Amino acid sequence: CDWSSDVCSSDLVVILDADGTVMTTLNPVGAVIWNALDGERDAAALAAGLVAQFDGVAVDELEADIVEFVESLVEAKLVESD
């Protein structure tokens, strides 16, 4: 696509808060994790399922990154956690 100076990517994910007033753009790694969030699997299960997509990343490192990412989403009120 060609939108003047905008960068277009199939990995782009933009999240709006519940009020539709705050927009958050995720990087490609955040987009992969966001798309995998299903409310069923915990961070360990998500990491185990996604680790093959990330070269050179250990499953425990990815799990820690997922926990941190989800905590940031909860703090921003973009998702709810039990």
Side-chain angles (χ1 to χ4, degrees):
C1 85
D2 182 12
W3 297 337
S4 62
S5 63
D6 292 346
V7 176
C8 302
S9 169
S10 62
D11 296 327
L12 180 67
V13 172
V14 176
I15 305 168
L16 290 174
D17 68 344
D19 296 329
T21 58
V22 177
M23 181 173 58
T24 301
T25 303
L26 303 179
N27 65 25
V29 174
V32 168
I33 297 168
W34 173 263
N35 286 320
L37 294 176
D38 59 11
E40 303 282 323
R41 295 176 289 171
D42 63 8
L46 286 169
L50 295 175
V51 72
Q53 295 184 45
F54 301 101
D55 293 333
V57 177
V59 70
D60 58 331
E61 180 182 355
L62 181 56
E63 181 180 350
D65 289 346
I66 290 171
V67 168
E68 183 178 333
F69 176 69
V70 172
E71 286 174 351
S72 71
L73 294 174
V74 170
E75 287 177 21
K77 298 182 181 177
L78 295 171
V79 298
E80 294 179 356
S81 178
D82 294 333

